[in-house]
Amino acid sequence: MSSQAKSISLFDGAILAQALKGSILKLDPRQLVRNPVIFVTEVVAAVVTLLWLRDLISGSGTPLFSGQIAAWLWFTVIFATFSEAIAEGRGKAQADSLKRTKSDLVAKRLKAANGTEYDTIPATSLKLGDIILVEAGDLIPGDGEIIEGVASVNESAITGESAPVIRESGGDRSAVTGGTQLLSDCLKIRITTKPGETFVDRMIALIEGAERQKTPNEIALSILLSGLTLVFLIAVVTLSGLAAYSGTIMTVTVLAALLVTLIPTTIGGLLSAIGIAGMDRLIRFNVIATSGRAVEAAGDVDTLLLDKTGTITFGNRMATEFIPVDGISEDELANAALQASLSDETAEGRSIVALAQADYGLSDTVPKGKEATFIPFAAQTRISGVDIGTQQIRKGAVDAILKFAGLGKDTAPQSFQKAVDSIARTGGTPLGVAENGRLLGVIHLKDVVKPDIKERFAALRAMGIKTVMVTGDNPVTAAAIASEAGVDDFMAEATPEQKLAYIRKEQEGGRLIAMCGDGTNDAPALAQADVGVAMQSGTQAAREAGNMVDLDSSPTKLIEIVEIGKQILMTRGSLTTFSIANDVAKYFAIIPALFVATYPQLGALNVMGLHSPQSAILSAVIFNALIIIALIPLALKGVPYRPVGASALLRRNLLVYGLGGLLVPFIGIKAIDLIVAALHLV
Amino acid sequence: MTLVGWLQISLTLIAVLLAVKPLGLYMNRVFAGERTFLSPVFKPVEWAFYKAAGIDEKREQNWIGYTFGVLLFSIAGFVSLYVILRFQDVLPLNPQGFPAVAPDLAFNTAVSFITNTNWQSYGGETTMSHFSQMAGLTVHNFLSGATGMAVAVALSRAFVRSHMTTLGNFWVDMTRATLYVLLPLAVVVALIFVAMGMPQTLDASVTATTLEGVKQVIATGPVASQEAIKQLGTNGGGFFNVNAAHPFENPNAFSNYLGVFAMLVVSSAMVYTFGQMTGNRRQGWALLSAMGLLLVVGIGAVYWAETSGNPILTHLGLDPLQGNMEGKELRFGQSGSALYTAVTTGLSNGGVNTMHASLTPLGGLVPMFLIQLGEVLPGGVGSGLYGMVVFAILAVFVAGLMVGRTPELLGKKIESREMKYAMLAVLVLPLAILGFSALAAILPVGLAGLLNKGPHGLSEILYAYSSAAGNNGSAFAGLTANSPWYNTTLGIAMLLGRFAYIVPVLAIAGSLVAKQKVPASSGTFPTDTPLFVGLLVGIIIILGGLQYFPALALGPIVEHFLMLAGQTF
């Protein structure tokens, strides 16, 4: 899926510089208090800094040690804010280019809806319901609905797609977006969004993270992390009392080090970066979500409603088979079908030519030396063909061909009838082929299912997601395509009301539904669905109803959106597990170091063989800070999602992040201790 | 460790496992209000109670109403017990003529028995009249257990119902738990105990003439009846000061194993009932497996530590094959003592047949750590189940995210509200245990009660507050807890450990019961597999136990290393 995404290098130089600046600005305690774990770390860092200053000025204590602890505690905080800043920075670049499209827009506001006279006013003073005129070359000043005219519009400013799209009044393509450019003709547009709340405005706000609010899952996780911080605060504060009983006087510096290494700084520091990066990943897939809540809900989706056309099938029926009547060879039929389709410029006609060329090695020219008269396909006759000399070759709808051949339904050869019936039964469309008065056979046209879609649905099933195909086809055709594509269920002859009813029914059963749609009649269902993805090409109503907009207008996006939603949750869970598992090793590093002066026997717990009590404590603190930096790439990229089912996924992640989280710090702290000792840092 | 020893342990645990299913199914029927074979006997009694109290059996309560019921009932219990203890000198059935119980001790004892802790700062046979023992303490042995069971049942219902607010009726659940579960079981077990020679009499004492011709006064009383519910209701408060080490409370090896069986059976069966009620028996077994796994490791650790003995004693010429026999009864031996010690602390029972202070340092660390894990192995009747569900919620939340979905337990989404209450509940134990221990370790009033110095003294303090906050009630001994400081602070720790835990648990139930049950799919994080059991065990150890590691390092752990170095306290 990464191939589709616009990739930004993980550590782009410009972004890095911005992020460094941002990470310092974010140290403001008023802002940091939103993140309790890191806020506590900052308070502790400030206290240790004061103690270091006291040591330094009074010349007592161990300023070299407390100074280094203070420095690494500050690094811990800065690494955390840096991770957030770098995640935001990646979106900022995109927001800046959007802002440029927005600046200095002017609007031609019509004095009367049916007139042509207008005032030129700045786009910012437009009001709801204003009617404006946009002419070729103009930038459209605001979001609106076309009330008159047809025009081609360049929407590359928001979609990144440079090919122009057609927008027209009425129907499903009547919405225009502020900041896009009219290439031809002129339009009358009714403004439907207030300035400052337009699509581009919302996009900028989302990308910049200004509107970022904690998602429900993020809040729940924050509560867990705050609770753990409190638990360890209790453990560390009370330890001073218990230690006093044992005759050990613990310095505040050491207690501070213990506290910060025990509280979940790793996940606490990376938590907001994970969320921002997830949204950013979505944006790079050209999907704009109106809230983080919707992205998270995507991870929980149980049922996907997918439109058949364009998602499951290519959208056009294509020839897949030639079935000759008795006495005619397949090659003969293929040749005739090819000849008869040369003048058929429809997608179906072209697919017949393509099939004859590919599977039968025929060339797409008429035999040389003969005069050929083409009869092009027409909707009235439903027939196309060619006259070569006296040969009249035709192909077309079965009844039209029978009429052409002068045959009735019952006088046609048995094998012809059989072929037609069997094709109809499987949901395909039969076309007849005839030469003069003789029937040659049948062409099987069918809705061709995209080649890799079955595997994708199987993968979705493994993820526990049910796929439902929605189509306007009759039940027979729908069933045939459904079984070929491997969807779990289908809705034939679907109406918007049926879609809505289906969604409601599933939701009553406790399931979360995702769907995509573009038409105004999809709007109720889009609003009802837990994840509603509206196509950028769709109507304003649809775009308002959904909670995401796909700028590429590609219905298959739903699958990627679900994967991104899952990735965000997985990354949070994995790093939380990692963070908590880390504590075991930190205990083994710090506890013997704390008490070894009083009870030398506790040195037995120093399983890592750390150099000295001070080096042990310092190493644990350094490890705790560096692990945040080391995990930033993972937080930004996300833990890879594999559609293998929850059990297998859990087993794997538990092994990597749970067991890994237990073992890695033992190795890391030991390695850092070797360096600390070698450099005589304490 | 011997094969025979392990066989005895295994047979007892297997007997419990065999009883889990029938008792679990029976309790499921009882709490659903269905007819059971005891209904003809107890239904009229039940109705009479409801009629007398004006309870409408069909009217259910929301979580606030339920909580209110629990608290009101416990306060009433506290007041009545306090009054009985303060006035026992003028109340009947006081053949020994004991004076009224002192205010701080009466507070501590009343709190202790309504919280199902049964911490005893007193010696029963020298402090309590028969009336106080029977009408006061034994009554609460039933009622406090039944209260815990009712809370667990309310929480279980929250997983079954969708879009509802009510969790059942506290008064009904509590009455049924007492009448249909605890009372009949207690009658059966008491009769078996009597058959084994346990006294059951209203006489004060018997006077015997010893071989030396000295007259000896042997205290006795209604022991068997209190002993039965002491075990079944995971109370642990003994009739005698030395609890189950006393030959009248625990006459022989068989009574010892029956005692362990009785301790385990109701708590374990409650977990099966949970599986049955929530329609997922495998979930019940998964929780029970996690409990069993940790408990067996605990039993093994005590058994190993104690049979390994004390090198200092070996140097003095004692037979190392005996292991450490200090503070143990010969009639139970190493395996019977290790089993009892781990079970009584894994379970919030708190009765002892071994003096825990006399265990080797590591042997003593195990019961303390088992209590600190939150009393969920399998914990007190009811309280063990709801404690375990809180851990399951935490485990599901931490690891459940790793499958890329909002975490769910039994189809209920675990979101910020559940998380908030679960964390509140989890905070209570370290706050009470470590907070009070740290104070006691530096304040003169705290230090005054210590028998031993050094790490062993710290273990005495830590153990006392762990036992109180965990509502266990066993004592490490050595600590003189009958002082205003300890009586009061231990009382507060007990109250916190009980009610500051129950209220968030019922709040979780109130939040869950309103939620839609999400059907499981292959994308759902499975919570009834061995993988989940392993995960749950990890979460219990890391989240439940890790915060005590520094404190334990200064107590039993350092004492162990000092013992190896030849130093004792």
Side-chain angles (χ1 to χ4, degrees):
Chain A
M1 77 188 211
S2 57
S3 59
Q4 293 180 35
K6 288 176 249 167
S7 69
I8 298 180
S9 151
L10 210 49
F11 291 108
D12 180 270
I15 292 175
L16 218 55
Q18 274 287 325
L20 274 174
K21 204 176 116 199
S23 62
I24 304 293
L25 291 176
K26 282 174 187 289
L27 291 179
D28 182 347
R30 285 166 300 178
Q31 206 184 337
L32 212 55
V33 77
R34 275 164 52 93
N35 185 341
V37 181
I38 301 303
F39 179 72
V40 168
T41 312
E42 186 177 41
V43 171
V44 166
V47 170
V48 176
T49 308
L50 288 177
L51 292 173
W52 168 65
L53 287 173
R54 188 198 61 185
D55 285 354
L56 209 60
I57 293 163
S58 67
S60 65
T62 49
L64 178 65
F65 175 66
S66 57
Q68 286 187 78
I69 295 284
W72 282 103
L73 293 183
W74 279 114
F75 280 135
T76 312
V77 182
I78 291 173
F79 291 163
T81 54
F82 176 73
S83 75
E84 190 181 304
I86 200 165
E88 284 175 356
R90 283 145 63 82
K92 277 226 170 72
Q94 209 161 348
D96 287 344
S97 77
L98 275 174
K99 273 185 193 158
R100 278 194 290 278
T101 69
K102 231 192 85 182
S103 57
D104 311 328
L105 287 178
V106 287
K108 299 169 179 171
R109 186 170 62 190
L110 290 170
K111 287 181 171 160
N114 46 10
T116 50
E117 278 181 56
Y118 59 79
D119 303 323
T120 303
I121 58 164
T124 46
S125 52
L126 278 173
K127 286 193 291 291
L128 277 182
D130 280 353
I131 310 284
I132 56 163
L133 181 73
V134 185
E135 291 168 303
D138 288 352
L139 284 170
I140 298 172
D143 292 4
E145 192 86 23
I146 301 171
I147 54 172
E148 196 182 310
V150 182
S152 61
V153 180
N154 177 0
E155 296 192 337
S156 65
I158 48 172
T159 63
E161 173 60 58
S162 56
V165 293
I166 301 295
R167 297 286 178 201
E168 58 190 332
S169 61
D172 287 351
R173 294 176 172 271
S174 61
V176 287
T177 309
T180 57
Q181 192 178 25
L182 205 67
L183 294 178
S184 69
D185 306 286
C186 76
L187 295 174
K188 274 188 194 170
I189 296 168
R190 186 192 301 112
I191 294 296
T192 53
T193 319
K194 279 188 225 156
E197 291 172 18
T198 64
F199 188 70
V200 172
D201 290 316
R202 275 188 296 160
M203 222 169 131
I204 292 170
L206 276 165
I207 295 170
E208 283 191 324
E211 256 185 36
R212 216 181 93 76
Q213 285 173 332
K214 282 187 181 171
T215 59
N217 174 264
E218 222 175 336
I219 294 171
L221 188 53
S222 297
I223 292 171
L224 174 81
L225 299 180
S226 308
L228 286 177
T229 306
L230 274 175
V231 165
F232 287 118
L233 199 61
I234 293 169
V236 169
V237 169
T238 56
L239 185 59
S240 57
L242 300 175
Y245 167 93
S246 313
T248 310
I249 300 304
M250 311 249 297
T251 65
V252 175
T253 310
V254 167
L255 283 177
L258 179 63
L259 176 65
V260 170
T261 49
L262 291 182
I263 62 177
T265 47
T266 314
I267 177 66
L270 295 172
L271 186 57
S272 55
I274 295 169
I276 297 169
M279 291 290 270
D280 182 53
R281 223 172 301 138
L282 207 58
I283 289 164
R284 277 183 288 128
F285 270 98
N286 264 347
V287 176
I288 304 292
T290 52
S291 73
R293 182 188 286 260
V295 185
E296 244 166 40
D300 284 351
V301 158
D302 301 282
T303 307
L304 285 188
L305 291 191
L306 296 167
D307 268 327
K308 180 200 79 175
T309 308
T311 311
I312 296 169
T313 65
F314 282 109
N316 302 312
R317 285 176 299 184
M318 294 205 280
T320 54
E321 201 184 352
F322 297 118
I323 307 167
V325 295
D326 293 339
I328 304 288
S329 76
E330 252 183 73
D331 279 342
E332 217 174 323
L333 172 62
N335 194 35
L338 173 91
Q339 308 274 346
S341 301
L342 285 174
S343 56
D344 183 356
E345 280 304 315
T346 64
E348 293 167 10
R350 281 202 300 273
S351 79
I352 296 170
V353 175
L355 179 71
Q357 285 177 308
D359 286 10
Y360 298 89
L362 303 171
S363 79
D364 58 347
T365 51
V366 287
K368 284 198 179 91
K370 289 191 181 163
E371 177 109 355
T373 319
F374 288 106
I375 292 101
F377 179 81
Q380 292 84 358
T381 60
R382 293 184 294 153
I383 265 184
S384 70
V386 64
D387 291 347
I388 306 167
T390 55
Q391 269 186 302
Q392 289 187 316
I393 308 173
R394 297 287 184 275
K395 74 115 219 315
V398 170
D399 50 346
I401 284 293
L402 284 174
K403 205 171 134 202
F404 164 77
L407 292 167
K409 248 200 157 140
D410 28 350
T411 50
Q414 274 251 302
S415 53
F416 182 85
Q417 279 299 343
K418 243 173 73 184
V420 167
D421 286 348
S422 79
I423 291 169
R425 256 203 313 282
T426 59
T429 309
L431 290 183
V433 182
E435 189 185 330
N436 300 341
R438 194 163 61 113
L439 284 175
L440 299 179
V442 187
I443 306 169
H444 186 172
L445 284 186
K446 71 176 193 185
D447 230 352
V448 176
V449 171
K450 289 185 175 175
D452 55 348
I453 204 82
K454 197 163 185 168
E455 286 73 42
R456 287 213 86 166
F457 290 152
L460 284 170
R461 200 166 303 120
M463 287 154 73
I465 296 173
K466 186 172 127 182
T467 44
V468 180
M469 182 182 86
V470 181
T471 171
D473 292 346
N474 64 54
V476 175
T477 312
I481 295 171
S483 87
E484 192 180 342
V487 293
D488 298 295
D489 197 359
F490 66 90
M491 214 192 301
E493 289 167 354
T495 61
E497 293 74 34
Q498 275 178 321
K499 276 195 213 177
L500 190 62
Y502 189 92
I503 293 174
R504 290 219 170 108
K505 194 187 88 204
E506 289 280 299
Q507 283 174 335
E508 268 159 31
R511 293 184 184 80
L512 259 63
I513 317 294
M515 71 163 286
C516 58
D518 54 3
T520 301
N521 55 13
D522 283 332
L526 278 173
Q528 180 72 31
D530 301 280
V531 177
V533 182
M535 304 289 111
Q536 164 65 11
S537 62
T539 60
Q540 188 67 23
R543 279 170 23 182
E544 290 288 330
N547 43 21
M548 291 188 200
V549 176
D550 178 17
L551 301 177
D552 296 338
S553 305
S554 145
T556 10
K557 275 288 175 60
L558 265 185
I559 299 170
E560 269 91 20
I561 293 171
V562 167
E563 285 184 358
I564 290 173
K566 286 194 177 293
Q567 255 195 324
I568 296 177
L569 296 179
M570 277 171 54
T571 310
R572 281 193 202 131
S574 301
L575 291 182
T576 306
T577 308
F578 186 85
S579 197
I580 293 173
N582 269 204
D583 279 358
V584 176
K586 291 171 187 167
Y587 268 129
F588 277 99
I590 295 187
I591 294 297
L594 291 182
F595 302 121
V596 83
T598 320
Y599 295 124
Q601 292 80 2
L602 274 183
L605 290 181
N606 181 6
V607 289
M608 286 174 266
L610 302 180
H611 179 70
S612 71
Q614 287 195 339
S615 78
I617 295 169
L618 183 62
S619 304
V621 173
I622 294 178
F623 174 83
N624 194 52
L626 290 182
I627 196 74
I628 296 180
I629 282 286
L631 290 174
I632 286 179
L634 183 69
L636 295 188
K637 274 196 301 201
V639 170
Y641 181 79
R642 281 156 227 257
V644 287
S647 298
L649 204 60
L650 180 69
R651 198 171 311 122
R652 183 181 178 280
N653 286 339
L654 214 49
L655 203 68
V656 175
Y657 301 99
L659 201 62
L662 274 179
L663 299 179
V664 165
F666 278 103
I667 301 163
I669 293 174
K670 176 68 186 170
I672 294 170
D673 180 73
L674 287 174
I675 298 169
V676 167
L679 297 177
H680 299 288
L681 290 179
V682 285
Chain B
M1 290 195 279
T2 61
L3 185 65
V4 175
W6 272 113
L7 264 178
Q8 290 171 338
I9 292 170
S10 322
L11 284 177
T12 313
L13 296 180
I14 288 170
V16 173
L17 281 180
L18 290 177
V20 155
K21 186 175 172 181
L23 183 57
L25 287 174
Y26 170 73
M27 286 197 287
N28 183 45
R29 293 184 69 85
V30 167
F31 290 115
E34 290 167 28
R35 225 186 129 72
T36 65
F37 71 101
L38 288 175
S39 297
V41 186
F42 286 120
K43 200 73 204 172
V45 185
E46 199 189 336
W47 276 336
F49 272 118
Y50 298 153
K51 210 165 157 70
I55 300 290
D56 178 0
E57 180 184 0
K58 297 269 181 290
R59 227 183 99 191
E60 298 211 335
Q61 297 163 305
N62 63 13
W63 82 266
I64 295 174
Y66 209 97
T67 311
F68 188 69
V70 172
L71 296 180
L72 193 70
F73 185 64
S74 302
I75 291 169
F78 169 80
V79 172
S80 66
L81 183 52
Y82 185 81
V83 168
I84 288 175
L85 296 177
R86 295 286 291 136
F87 291 99
Q88 73 168 4
D89 51 337
V90 293
L91 288 167
L93 284 178
N94 187 5
Q96 299 100 321
F98 290 130
V101 180
D104 60 317
L105 180 60
F107 163 76
N108 181 283
T109 307
V111 165
S112 172
F113 277 78
I114 61 155
T115 54
N116 197 249
T117 310
N118 302 31
W119 169 271
Q120 292 165 299
S121 285
Y122 57 88
E125 67 271 43
T126 55
T127 319
M128 297 294 167
S129 72
H130 287 346
F131 186 80
S132 298
Q133 294 267 25
M134 294 196 307
L137 307 183
T138 305
V139 165
H140 285 285
N141 278 353
F142 281 97
L143 299 184
S144 64
T147 303
M149 289 166 79
V151 172
V153 167
L155 179 63
S156 310
R157 288 196 186 111
F159 284 98
V160 193
R161 304 176 169 186
S162 289
H163 302 304
M164 281 179 71
T165 54
T166 58
L167 296 167
N169 185 317
F170 167 70
W171 308 104
V172 172
D173 290 336
M174 191 270 302
T175 308
R176 286 184 181 151
T178 312
L179 275 183
Y180 290 89
V181 183
L182 295 177
L183 196 60
L185 279 173
V187 169
V188 174
V189 173
L191 287 176
I192 302 176
F193 275 148
V194 169
M196 280 185 237
M198 217 180 265
Q200 178 70 17
T201 169
L202 291 181
D203 290 341
S205 53
V206 283
T207 310
T209 311
T210 65
L211 286 175
E212 291 101 15
V214 184
K215 281 208 187 302
Q216 186 184 2
V217 180
I218 302 168
T220 178
V223 181
S225 60
Q226 189 178 330
E227 196 60 17
I229 189 61
K230 156 191 148 181
Q231 307 292 39
L232 288 164
T234 59
N235 294 287
F239 195 91
F240 300 102
N241 195 16
V242 292
N243 209 291
H246 194 293
F248 284 176
E249 273 203 46
N250 199 355
N252 52 40
F254 185 71
S255 72
N256 192 52
Y257 292 117
L258 179 64
V260 171
F261 172 86
M263 277 193 248
L264 282 168
V265 75
V266 181
S267 286
S268 308
M270 276 300 285
V271 184
Y272 188 89
T273 308
F274 175 75
Q276 185 71 21
M277 278 182 85
T278 55
N280 186 342
R281 261 179 248 172
R282 282 172 54 97
Q283 185 70 66
W285 284 117
L287 295 185
L288 202 55
S289 310
M291 294 167 166
L293 201 69
L294 282 167
L295 187 63
V296 168
V297 170
I299 295 169
V302 178
Y303 195 15
W304 168 79
E306 293 309 301
T307 45
S308 302
N310 184 338
I312 301 172
L313 293 178
T314 312
H315 278 301
L316 293 175
L318 290 181
D319 180 7
L321 286 178
Q322 289 289 323
N324 172 34
M325 278 306 287
E326 183 194 318
K328 289 191 186 66
E329 285 290 302
L330 275 172
R331 61 186 192 281
F332 309 135
Q334 290 290 6
S335 74
S337 301
L339 175 65
Y340 203 109
T341 300
V343 169
T344 196
T345 48
L347 198 70
S348 113
N349 181 291
V352 290
N353 75 349
T354 302
M355 294 304 108
H356 290 183
S358 298
L359 296 167
T360 59
L362 290 187
L365 172 117
V366 175
M368 192 171 350
F369 190 61
L370 293 185
I371 298 174
Q372 289 164 343
L373 287 183
E375 293 296 26
V376 289
L377 315 171
V381 286
S383 64
L385 174 60
Y386 61 69
M388 197 61 167
V389 171
V390 169
F391 275 122
I393 286 175
L394 290 174
V396 153
F397 188 82
V398 170
L401 283 176
M402 282 197 288
V403 304
R405 273 174 80 97
T406 301
E408 291 156 18
L409 182 62
L410 288 164
K412 295 284 188 164
K413 285 209 161 108
I414 304 301
E415 292 166 303
S416 48
R417 266 175 65 133
E418 290 76 27
M419 221 50 222
K420 190 164 63 191
Y421 296 129
M423 284 322 288
L424 275 178
V426 165
L427 273 172
V428 171
L429 280 188
L431 188 67
I433 295 175
L434 293 173
F436 281 125
S437 295
L439 284 178
I442 47 175
L443 294 178
V445 281
L447 296 171
L450 292 185
L451 178 70
N452 302 83
K453 297 204 179 335
H456 199 79
L458 190 66
S459 296
E460 288 171 7
I461 297 176
L462 258 181
Y463 195 100
Y465 287 107
S466 301
S467 175
N471 293 151
N472 181 279
S474 65
F476 203 51
L479 184 74
T480 307
N482 193 3
S483 71
W485 162 264
Y486 279 109
N487 276 334
T488 310
T489 53
L490 288 170
I492 295 170
M494 288 186 254
L495 286 173
L496 284 174
R498 181 73 165 185
F499 299 108
Y501 205 101
I502 282 184
V503 175
V505 162
L506 284 172
I508 291 176
S511 172
L512 290 179
V513 78
K515 289 190 179 186
Q516 165 79 44
K517 206 170 162 74
V518 180
S521 74
S522 61
T524 309
F525 172 34
T527 55
D528 52 7
T529 59
L531 189 66
F532 180 73
V533 172
L535 179 72
L536 189 55
V537 166
I539 289 288
I540 292 173
I541 291 176
I542 291 185
L543 290 188
L546 214 54
Q547 63 261 39
Y548 303 103
F549 187 65
L552 292 173
L554 287 173
I557 294 177
V558 73
E559 195 188 347
H560 170 75
F561 289 117
L562 290 172
M563 176 187 83
L564 295 183
Q567 199 181 345
T568 75
F569 296 91

